[in-house]
Amino acid sequence: MEKKILSLDGYTLYKDGKSGRFFCDGQATNHGEFIEKVVTERMFDQEWQKDSVPYNVGSDVSANGIGYSIKSSKASLTELLLMNDKSENSKNAIIEKFLATVVSTMFLYGVEINGEIVVYQMNKIEFEKFLRDMWTMDKQSGKDKYKLRIRKADSVVVQYFENMLATA
């Protein structure tokens, strides 16, 4: 696991408190897209393009022959893997199917802290541990299906990663 810190200098950011939308450089976006944009542009020096490429077809960003999946707070693992219940068996089934079919080989989790984006970079084994330890089953809005989602407070997630770094 690695930790990188990315500056938000040069980004104009406005958070709409009512809708939860972000406006980055005048463009409406959500929190996950904002993190993905900053990571893509600052960490990989690539222009970010919004896409809807499934996890089993492509990565959020590719660099030097490596595919990266980018996640942030309140992210769901994928809408393609839904279960009828929120049991531990369903959670494990989602994780196993995701890991067996995901194209990305590296995983990035970004957290906004004091005008910076702190990025934790994980390989597939570390990401699997993160999924099992910190992600929970969450009911899909308007449906009787459940998906895997990160719902922990940023401070709890950061402490989790810092503990992983300290024991590595």
Side-chain angles (χ1 to χ4, degrees), residues 1-5 118-121 158 162 165:
M1 174 176 286
E2 292 180 41
K3 174 182 173 180
K4 299 182 185 212
I5 298 175
V118 178
V119 180
Y120 296 93
Q121 180 175 306
V158 167
E162 291 299 324
L165 285 167

Side-chain angles (χ1 to χ4, degrees), residues 17-166:
K18 292 181 181 177
S19 70
R21 290 181 303 176
F22 282 66
F23 294 89
C24 183
D25 299 328
Q27 183 179 16
T29 184
N30 65 39
H31 183 259
E33 291 170 348
F34 168 68
I35 297 289
E36 192 175 318
K37 175 181 175 61
V38 173
V39 170
T40 301
E41 293 174 355
R42 292 287 163 94
M43 202 165 151
F44 298 104
D45 198 29
Q46 296 180 19
E47 183 179 339
W48 178 75
Q49 300 282 334
K50 183 176 179 171
D51 66 44
S52 56
V53 176
Y55 74 97
N56 56 353
V57 174
S59 299
D60 292 321
V61 65
S62 294
N64 301 320
I66 299 169
Y68 294 84
S69 176
I70 304 170
K71 299 292 183 194
S72 61
S73 64
K74 298 187 178 116
S76 59
L77 191 56
T78 176
E79 302 295 324
L80 298 179
L81 299 174
L82 298 175
M83 292 291 171
N84 292 325
D85 63 65
K86 60 179 184 176
S87 70
E88 197 66 21
N89 285 340
S90 289
K91 177 180 176 177
N92 289 333
I94 288 174
I95 292 170
E96 288 167 20
K97 184 168 183 180
F98 175 83
L99 293 172
T101 56
V102 65
V103 171
S104 299
T105 56
M106 296 299 289
F107 302 86
L108 306 171
Y109 191 89
V111 182
E112 182 186 354
I113 302 173
N114 299 324
E116 298 176 319
I117 301 294
V118 178
V119 180
Y120 296 93
Q121 180 175 306
M122 298 163 271
N123 62 30
K124 197 181 255 189
I125 293 167
E126 294 162 332
F127 189 65
E128 178 180 2
K129 180 171 176 27
F130 176 51
L131 291 173
R132 293 189 188 282
D133 290 349
M134 301 294 284
W135 292 53
T136 58
M137 295 295 283
D138 192 42
K139 191 166 186 182
Q140 176 82 359
S141 180
K143 297 181 183 175
D144 287 331
K145 299 278 186 178
Y146 294 84
K147 61 185 172 183
L148 197 58
R149 179 172 218 142
I150 182 76
R151 284 283 197 187
K152 307 282 186 195
D154 285 346
S155 60
V156 173
V157 176
V158 167
Q159 188 60 56
Y160 173 85
F161 285 133
E162 291 299 324
N163 290 343
M164 282 184 74
L165 285 167

